[in-house]
């Protein structure tokens, strides 16, 4: 390392320290505490306190992309056991637009959801949806996937948009890369993500945001040493929580597990650890064992609309002709509204006719299944029997597989 690089690093370090000490002067509406830890795995259970209420972890966040968890109203989400939902900044920024949401002082009142909300930064959707997106040091320039209009999304913009959305947890803008990626591309993306996180933190401080936490996102592709570098540089920023990004982007499942297993312990212990865009019930059970506290994924809601139901004895496809004469509930072990009142035969009929109620009843069941799975894991961790819980879960799911 040459002298000028060392001087630059020192200067940067002192700027970050200054930023951190300024941010600590006011009372902040966000707290995370670990309540119990598993003695055999890295699983832990805890509580996140936000301006909109408490969240018990590990937690799964149903995805409400456009300001609605598809097919459900907020009361139904609460009845399913949802504690926090996720909304997408990119989509809400384009439609209906911040100006409309400002009329309601934020997303909570606009969509009538009173619990905590996490918003992503918009970066992932620009990466996956927008046409002609171009990335520079300034931010993303992209064209809307709706009307082709041109937009620029900078780290500062994303903080301000999420401020208007009024989410309880906001995410730093990051650069997600596709799989597979060359090492140099992964390295550049992680360095840019770190510089953008510094800018997000500064924008968060300058705007005196006191009731919205700011999480950083670890990148680094499928390179372990780059993941380490990313985690280390973001940890210095003392953000309120940390996410593992860039997973579930097309890599083999074993690789996704390996990267999550490697990255999660690198993140600060006393902050929530969030694995973005994951996953199936088995993914959640595995990754809670690695020490993950938060998840989001479209699987329970999207699959419900495609007729796939998760049950305590494996996954079933309600479209299957074998369910036509089945008078039993979707999952005999489930006490949700759908399983308490309707049969597999009726759900099969609704799905075959593409009735609107099919989407709603299937989604109620899948969300309830996910919420109960997380609750069962929290209890198993508290009673220090998480390892046995994992073994039992894998055995039951493997025995019945997809019907
Ligand atoms: Zn059910």
């Amino acid at each position: 390392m040459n002298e000028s690089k060392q001087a630059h690093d020192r200067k940067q370090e002192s700027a970050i320290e200054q930023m951190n000490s300024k941010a600590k002067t006011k009372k902040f509406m966000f707290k995370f505490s670990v309540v119990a830890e598993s003695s055999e795995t890295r699983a832990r259970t805890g509580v996140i306190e936000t301006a909109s209420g408490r969240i018990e972890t590990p937690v799964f966040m149903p995805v409400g992309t456009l300001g609605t968890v598809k097919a459900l109203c907020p009361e139904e989400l609460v009845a399913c056991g949802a504690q926090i939902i996720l909304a997408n900044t990119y989509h809400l920024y384009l439609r209906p637009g911040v100006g409309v949401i400002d009329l309601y002082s934020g997303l909570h009142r606009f969509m009538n959801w009173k619990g905590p909300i996490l918003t992503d930064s918009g970066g992932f959707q620009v990466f996956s949806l927008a046409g002609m997106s171009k990335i520079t040091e300034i931010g993303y320039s992209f064209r809307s996937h709706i009307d082709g209009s041109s937009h620029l999304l900078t780290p500062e913009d994303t903080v301000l948009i999420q401020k208007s959305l009024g989410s309880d947890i906001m995410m730093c803008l990051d650069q997600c890369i596709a799989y597979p990626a060359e090492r140099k591309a992964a390295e550049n993306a992680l360095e840019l993500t770190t510089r953008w996180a510094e800018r997000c933190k500064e924008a968060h401080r300058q705007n005196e945001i006191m009731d919205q936490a700011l999480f950083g996102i670890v990148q680094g592709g499928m390179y372990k040493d780059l993941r380490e570098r990313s985690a280390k540089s973001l940890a210095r920023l003392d953000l309120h929580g940390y996410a593992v990004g860039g997973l579930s982007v097309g890599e083999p499942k074993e690789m996704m597990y390996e990267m999550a297993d490697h990255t999660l312990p690198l993140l600060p212990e006393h902050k929530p650890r969030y694995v973005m865009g994951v996953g199936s019930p088995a993914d959640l059970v595995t990754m809670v064992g690695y020490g993950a506290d938060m998840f989001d994924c479209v699987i329970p809601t999207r699959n419900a609309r495609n007729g796939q139901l998760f049950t305590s004895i494996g996954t079933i496809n309600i479209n299957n002709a074998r369910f036509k004469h089945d008078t039993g509930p979707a999952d005999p072990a489930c006490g949700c509204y759908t399983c308490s009142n309707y049969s597999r035969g009726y759900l099969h009929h609704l799905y075959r006719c593409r009735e609107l109620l099919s989407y709603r009843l299937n989604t109620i069941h899948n969300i309830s299944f996910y919420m109960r799975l997380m609750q069962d894991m929290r209890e198993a961790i508290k009673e220090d029997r998480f390892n046995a819980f994992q073994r039992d879960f894998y055995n039951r799911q493997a025995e019945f597989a997809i019907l």
Side-chain angles (χ1 to χ4, degrees):
M1 194 187 282
N2 61 34
E3 266 187 33
S4 71
K5 170 97 170 76
Q6 282 176 349
H8 170 79
D9 284 355
R10 270 199 304 275
K11 203 174 143 198
Q12 202 175 22
E13 216 127 84
S14 98
I16 290 167
E17 272 166 30
Q18 230 178 355
M19 211 194 290
N20 290 344
S21 69
K22 276 183 200 164
K24 277 174 191 155
T25 50
K26 277 192 192 172
K27 192 183 177 300
F28 192 75
M29 296 289 289
F30 184 86
K31 205 178 144 207
F32 173 62
S33 31
V34 174
V35 174
E37 285 171 299
S38 155
S39 58
E40 298 159 311
T41 68
R42 291 201 300 271
R44 59 201 202 153
T45 177
V47 175
I48 298 173
E49 288 166 52
T50 74
S52 302
R54 290 171 93 247
I55 304 157
E56 289 183 40
T57 64
V59 65
F60 180 85
M61 302 180 278
V63 176
T65 301
L66 298 165
T68 164
V69 173
K70 290 188 196 305
L72 301 190
C73 63
E75 290 74 12
E76 287 169 324
L77 274 170
V78 171
C80 291
Q83 307 181 69
I84 170 172
I85 59 161
L86 176 142
N88 290 120
T89 296
Y90 169 87
H91 288 284
L92 294 166
Y93 160 75
L94 289 178
R95 193 169 54 186
V98 170
V100 170
I101 294 174
D102 276 345
L103 299 173
Y104 303 83
S105 310
L107 196 51
H108 286 91
R109 211 149 65 79
F110 183 56
M111 67 178 287
N112 187 34
W113 169 257
K114 296 176 179 67
I117 298 176
L118 180 145
T119 43
D120 63 4
S121 67
F124 184 77
Q125 267 78 29
V126 172
F127 159 79
S128 59
L129 278 180
M132 299 176 69
S133 89
K134 197 178 149 219
I135 194 154
T136 63
E137 190 67 34
I138 301 166
Y140 284 104
S141 332
F142 66 94
R143 285 191 187 278
S144 156
H145 73 290
I146 302 166
D147 59 10
S149 54
S150 296
H151 300 267
L152 172 67
L153 184 70
T154 68
E156 292 78 14
D157 292 333
T158 197
V159 168
L160 288 176
I161 297 168
Q162 292 180 84
K163 181 176 187 257
S164 284
L165 295 176
S167 53
D168 299 278
I169 301 172
M170 52 167 84
M171 303 300 298
C172 288
L173 191 67
D174 64 326
Q175 186 190 357
C176 194
I177 48 166
Y179 174 82
E182 294 291 333
R183 185 185 164 85
K184 192 66 203 160
E187 193 172 11
N188 290 343
L190 100 78
E191 297 292 0
L192 183 64
T193 296
T194 305
R195 292 193 297 276
W196 281 0
E198 286 167 11
R199 284 167 59 187
C200 285
K201 165 123 188 175
E202 181 56 19
H204 189 270
R205 186 190 66 76
Q206 276 182 1
N207 286 283
E208 298 181 346
I209 298 173
M210 298 307 291
D211 48 5
Q212 297 174 273
L214 177 68
F215 281 24
I217 305 175
V218 173
Q219 290 292 348
M222 303 299 154
Y223 302 93
K224 287 185 179 173
D225 62 315
L226 296 184
R227 290 275 173 182
E228 280 163 34
R229 197 198 298 176
S230 178
K232 210 170 151 192
S233 4
L234 289 174
R236 285 163 56 230
L237 292 176
D238 193 24
L239 299 165
H240 307 112
Y242 291 91
V244 183
L247 292 185
S248 207
V249 288
E251 74 281 15
K253 187 149 271 198
E254 301 71 42
M255 191 180 274
M256 176 177 86
Y257 283 167
E258 203 184 323
M259 293 316 299
D261 190 19
H262 182 76
T263 310
L264 283 161
L266 303 170
L267 304 176
E269 237 175 276
H270 55 290
K271 304 280 175 80
R273 297 160 168 171
Y274 164 26
V275 181
M276 302 181 85
V278 171
S280 69
D283 293 341
L284 304 185
V285 172
T286 302
M287 293 205 187
V288 165
Y290 297 158
D293 305 305
M294 303 169 72
F295 302 92
D296 81 275
C297 191
V298 294
I299 285 182
T301 40
R302 179 182 291 167
N303 293 22
R305 299 193 304 279
N306 293 325
Q308 197 179 60
L309 302 178
F310 298 101
T311 83
S312 53
I313 49 171
T315 306
I316 64 172
N317 193 333
I318 205 67
N319 187 42
N320 196 309
R322 66 186 294 172
F323 298 120
K324 186 173 181 181
H325 300 286
D326 191 334
T327 58
D331 182 356
C334 180
C336 82
Y337 171 75
T338 302
C339 293
S340 307
N341 297 290
Y342 305 95
S343 65
R344 285 173 171 178
Y346 183 62
L347 297 176
H348 170 84
H349 162 72
L350 291 182
Y351 185 75
R352 282 282 172 112
C353 302
R354 300 295 186 270
E355 273 294 332
L356 295 179
L357 189 58
S358 168
Y359 303 118
R360 185 163 157 217
L361 293 181
N362 290 354
T363 306
I364 287 176
H365 168 75
N366 275 358
I367 294 292
S368 300
F369 176 85
Y370 265 62
M371 297 303 119
R372 203 179 49 255
L373 177 64
M374 302 314 289
Q375 195 187 339
D376 289 348
M377 285 199 270
R378 293 194 292 267
E379 279 167 22
I381 299 165
K382 274 181 202 154
E383 293 163 10
D384 203 11
R385 51 176 177 80
F386 186 70
N387 212 338
F389 176 92
Q390 280 184 312
R391 276 198 307 273
D392 180 53
F393 175 86
Y394 297 139
N395 289 340
R396 271 186 296 130
Q397 293 283 313
E399 202 177 327
F400 291 85
I402 292 186
L403 291 173

